[in-house]
Structures are given as structure tokens and as C-alpha cells.
Amino acid sequence: MNAEDTPVEVRDLLHRAVSGGRLEPSEALAVYLDAGLHDLGRAAHEVRLKKHPEPVVTYVGDRNINYSNICVCGCRFCAYFRAPGQEGGFVLSKDELAQKIQETIDLGGTQILMQGGHHPDLPLSFYEDLLAFIKAEFDIHVHAFSPPEIWHFAKLSGLSAAQVIARLKRAGLDSIPGGGAEILVDEVRSRVSPNKCTARQWIEVMEAAHGQGLRTTATMMFGHLETPGQRVEHLLALRALQDRTHGFTAFIPWTFQPQNTAIQARPLTSPEYLRLLAASRLILDNFDNLQVSWVTMGAKIAQLALFFGGNDFGSTMIEENVVRAAGVSFRLSREEIERLIRAAGFRPRQRRMDYSYLDQAQGARR
Ligand code: SF4
């Protein structure tokens, strides 16, 4: 592919984005749909280098911990959950949790990403108690409870999302993961995850979290029942909130894995993933960091994605049950992540959730 693959008017838009100009909605869609893949990648990489001139690629040492797989949501793409009463359902004990955190720290991790199903019976005090226990026992960053979970806690407790966030923060919550965003368009959500919070509610939770000083990430799961235009709509919704709060640390797009799920969809190709990633870098002009997804795309495409706008290799993901349940099982150690980053020509740096660099492994049992 060469520059001729990109129509002249779209080439102008790429130039504008590289020089720091904003892409309006119809322009964002034109760039996503019509730019030649390599022109798009080059433009995204240029923007990435302007934001991060040092040849550094970051990653975070963390572990995914699912506190429970019992869930009343029944999302059609989820191969992980168990309905209440169904065989195989669990709620993690404090001992199991402590063991997982200790293992994370022993492996140089500094953070846990803790999420779970929408359990119908656990009260808000259960989660507060969990946070208080972790903070009393360990010096570790707790990145936990995606917006749909927080909305669920709010519904069960009769509190507002902002009140729930305030209580969880007081109990020890450090930041909120951007999970459960899927595609932030209700027409899509009603077909893939009809019982989860709406797009507006997802944004409302994030806005409340940012308002209380909690940083969060933003994600997008794409390649199921949405249109390309709805993917761009999702990006624009994130950009609009970031304009108001500047609370997102990063954007993390990942492709839907259809195996073992109730949604029939053709798995997306690597060029389709790279196109979305690069377009995100140009459209999300107010986001500093873009994570590549080795968990769903594999190591080689993740390395390539570092030239399509990505500047972060994500997490060591010591445990990733949800994606694994859908039949994907890429595993990488911290040493392998560092080797892959070096092999792509960058310097690896371990970071914290807020993207500050870590000089040495932190986190310890108190
Ligand atoms: S994705 Fe989360 S909310 Fe949806 S069914 Fe699975 S565990 Fe429940």
C-alpha cells in the first residue's frame, strides 16, 4: 500500500491530525474507513512520537483477579460467568485473595485488577471489607470495579453511583478499570449485553470517579455486532468526557473473541485491529496512552501495533480468566514482555497505573 491508497481529502485530514488538529465526527469516520492502512499507521506513529518522544514502551506488573464469577447479567459475549446456583460458581475467600496478591508481589507486580460478575446478593459492605482487608495487609495499588459493577452496586444498595464510588474510595479503591464499555452505543449494548448499564450510565460512573479524583482507563471491545460508525461513536463519547475531566489515563481497544460465546461473528483480522488502533490515536487527541492488546492479538501483532499508535504493552496479566474462557490463551512473562519491547526497538519501562515510571519493584506485604 502507498500514499495513492489514501484519497487526497483524507490525506489532508491525516496531516491535520498529525499537526495537532482535531478530527470532527464525519472526518474521524472518513479517516477510519478510507485512509490507506500504512498512511494511517504512519500518521498514528507520528502523533505517538510527538506525545512520547522517548523510545520507551511501558507496561504494568499486575494480576487480574476475579473475586466472583457469579453473575445475573448474562452478556451474550461472556463465556466466563455462572448464573446464581449454577455449578462452578465461586466467590473468592480472603485467603485465596491474599495468596494471589502475594504471588503478584513476588513476581514484581505493583497492582491488582479486580473485577467480578454482578453478584445478586453481596452487599456493598462486602466490597468495602475486601478493599479494607487488602489495604491493611498489602502495599499494592487496587484498580477495581468497572462501571457496570459500580452501577450494579448502586442499584442493590439504593445509593447513587457517586455515593458508591465515595464509599469504595474511602475503603481503599485507588482507580477504576474501563471494562464493560463494549461499544458505548445503546443500540449495540441492548443486543450484546442487555442487562448491563447503558452507555450514558457508563459515562456517568466515569465522570463521577474523575470528579472524586480517581483516575480510570477506557476500553472498547469491538468486532461483534457493531458497525464501523458505532466504533467511531464510541471513541467520540470517550473524547467528549476526556475534554471535561481529563481523568482517563489510557485507551485500550481489544477485539471480541467469539469462541465459546453466544454471538456468531467473524474474528477480526490483524489489519482490522491495527486500523482501529491507529485511528484511535488520531481521533483521541486528548488521550496520552494507547495500550496494545497482546492478550487477544498475540505477541507479534502487539509488537507491530507499537508502530500503529500504541505506546504501552499493557499488563503482565498473570491471570486472565475471561479471555481464556473464550478460548484465547496467550501468556507472556514480564521478561518476555521486556524482550518483545526491546526487539521492536523500544526501551521497556515498568509503570504504575498513572503511567509514572517505576524504578524498582514495589508492593509488599505489610
Ligand atoms: S461480561 Fe461480566 S457482567 Fe457480563 S455476563 Fe460476564 S461476568 Fe457478567
Side-chain angles (χ1 to χ4, degrees):
M1 233 183 244
N2 55 45
E4 272 81 73
D5 290 305
T6 303
V8 180
E9 62 281 10
V10 176
R11 230 180 296 160
D12 290 344
L13 296 175
L14 292 180
H15 286 308
R16 164 135 54 90
V18 168
S19 355
R22 175 158 278 197
L23 296 173
E24 296 310 324
S26 62
E27 298 168 336
L29 187 62
V31 160
Y32 175 48
L33 293 181
D34 300 331
L37 180 61
H38 290 273
D39 290 336
L40 188 58
R42 248 192 312 274
H45 194 51
E46 270 190 64
V47 171
R48 178 262 196 246
L49 289 176
K50 280 189 172 176
K51 286 188 187 257
H52 306 280
E54 281 193 17
V56 166
V57 168
T58 45
Y59 69 94
V60 65
D62 87 349
R63 176 174 198 157
N64 250 22
I65 298 180
N66 298 117
Y67 55 84
S68 174
N69 64 347
I70 297 172
C71 188
V72 289
C73 249
C75 301
R76 292 185 59 222
F77 55 79
C78 183
Y80 179 67
F81 81 96
R82 294 288 180 277
Q86 194 184 343
E87 202 184 323
F90 71 84
V91 176
L92 222 56
S93 71
K94 280 184 182 162
D95 280 352
E96 290 168 313
L97 182 65
Q99 192 187 332
K100 285 174 186 289
I101 297 175
Q102 188 59 57
E103 284 166 9
T104 309
I105 290 171
D106 293 345
L107 286 166
T110 58
Q111 170 177 309
I112 55 165
L113 164 56
M114 192 169 68
Q115 301 180 107
H118 292 28
H119 196 292
D121 306 318
L122 296 175
L124 184 57
S125 56
F126 170 86
Y127 304 99
E128 291 176 303
D129 186 44
L130 212 58
L131 290 166
F133 167 74
I134 296 170
K135 286 297 181 177
E137 294 284 321
F138 299 97
D139 175 17
I140 196 148
H141 183 104
V142 182
H143 186 50
F145 309 127
S146 60
E149 289 166 89
I150 293 196
W151 199 266
H152 173 69
F153 303 162
K155 249 183 12 195
L156 282 189
S157 62
L159 299 172
S160 69
Q163 288 169 321
V164 168
I165 292 167
R167 279 182 53 173
L168 294 175
K169 188 180 171 201
R170 216 174 304 131
L173 182 65
D174 293 306
S175 60
I176 292 182
E182 280 74 87
I183 293 289
L184 291 170
V185 174
D186 285 335
E187 195 267 320
V188 180
R189 301 177 78 73
S190 65
R191 287 186 292 142
V192 300
S193 50
N195 303 315
K196 248 183 196 170
C197 67
T198 64
R200 189 188 53 73
Q201 290 162 346
W202 191 97
I203 292 283
E204 198 179 312
V205 171
M206 287 308 197
E207 190 150 18
H210 296 168
Q212 295 182 35
L214 288 183
R215 306 299 303 275
T216 78
T217 53
T219 66
M220 170 162 101
M221 181 184 74
F222 66 108
H224 38 92
L225 302 181
E226 82 288 358
T227 64
Q230 288 167 329
R231 292 174 196 161
V232 171
E233 232 181 284
H234 177 107
L235 296 175
L236 295 171
L238 295 178
R239 187 174 77 178
L241 177 56
Q242 183 77 327
D243 275 344
R244 297 199 291 277
T245 63
H246 300 285
F248 290 122
T249 55
F251 176 59
I252 313 160
W254 52 287
T255 52
F256 170 60
Q257 306 299 314
Q259 302 92 315
N260 306 333
T261 77
I263 294 179
Q264 304 281 324
R266 168 186 66 79
L268 290 186
T269 62
S270 300
E272 285 172 307
Y273 166 72
L274 294 171
R275 170 174 292 282
L276 187 282
L277 185 77
S280 309
R281 177 56 93 184
L282 302 181
I283 297 168
L284 296 177
D285 54 2
N286 50 8
F287 276 65
D288 288 338
N289 302 294
L290 226 66
Q291 251 182 52
V292 303
S293 175
W294 60 262
V295 177
T296 56
M297 301 311 297
K300 292 289 164 207
I301 298 304
Q303 279 179 308
L304 198 54
L306 297 176
F307 298 91
F308 282 76
N311 68 302
D312 184 86
F313 226 71
S315 127
T316 47
M317 289 267 186
I318 295 163
E319 197 170 358
E320 213 325 353
N321 295 318
V322 178
V323 177
R324 200 178 323 141
V328 176
S329 58
F330 294 118
R331 304 298 297 275
L332 289 178
S333 70
R334 180 174 142 160
E335 291 70 31
E336 282 170 311
I337 285 182
E338 293 213 349
R339 188 185 56 72
L340 289 164
I341 292 172
R342 279 201 191 90
F346 298 93
R347 211 165 59 240
R349 289 297 302 262
Q350 189 173 346
R351 64 163 173 85
R352 301 180 185 85
M353 186 273 166
D354 67 0
Y355 280 75
S356 59
Y357 294 155
L358 203 77
D359 290 322
Q360 57 206 21
Q362 292 178 346
R365 185 136 202 171
R366 292 195 194 277

